[in-house]
Structures are given as C-alpha cells and as structure tokens.
Amino acid sequence: MAAPVGGLATGVLGTVLLAAAWRACDVGVNGAANGLALAFYGAVLAAVAALWWGVLVGWVGRWSLPVSLIGGTFGAAGIVGIFVALLDAPHGYSC
C-alpha cells in the first residue's frame, strides 16, 4: 500500500515544484500550455517513485518498516530534486 501512495505523492510534489519553477522562469505561454507536459512528466515521476517505494518497502520493510519509510522519503526527495534539476529551464529559458 505504501508504494502507490508514496509514488503518487512524490509525483504530485514533483509536478507542483516543476510548475512553480516554470512559472518563475516564464516558461511557456501560460499555465494551460504547460499542462500536457506537466501531466506526462508527473506520470513518469510517479511511476519511477512508485517503483522506488515498492522495492524499498518490500525489501527493507521486512526487517524494519520505519527505516524503509525514512529511506523511501529521502529517496523520493532525491528523485524529485533530480527531476526538477533536469527539467528546470527547457529549451534555453533562463531565470
């Protein structure tokens, strides 16, 4: 149960942070113009994060559930950080 919930939460968080970064840099025409790209990137991020959560909770959670949840949280934060860093300013936009 932790993998889908953690993956979805990570996907939403990453998409919201990326949208805020794009809004701050004036990427795209308006919010609706970036919606399809954000939906796609959010789905990809949620799938990667759900895989991370599933592997970590399934493997480490056998021995210690709190350690697996803490590791999942730190790993998800790292995944979101890499995600936002890679997609921060596409196509030559600069802030």
Side-chain angles (χ1 to χ4, degrees):
M1 184 66 181
V5 173
L8 185 62
T10 304
V12 169
L13 174 68
T15 304
V16 168
L17 288 175
L18 185 61
W22 283 2
R23 191 171 33 256
C25 294
D26 292 328
V27 173
V29 178
N30 56 24
N34 297 330
L36 184 61
L38 288 171
F40 173 74
Y41 290 141
V44 170
L45 178 63
V48 170
L51 180 68
W52 165 256
W53 278 97
V55 168
L56 196 70
V57 171
W59 184 58
V60 178
R62 294 180 195 165
W63 296 285
S64 177
L65 187 61
V67 170
S68 69
L69 294 176
I70 291 169
T73 302
F74 281 114
I79 291 170
V80 168
I82 292 169
F83 174 75
V84 173
L86 289 175
L87 300 172
D88 186 27
H91 304 296
Y93 286 94
S94 61
C95 295

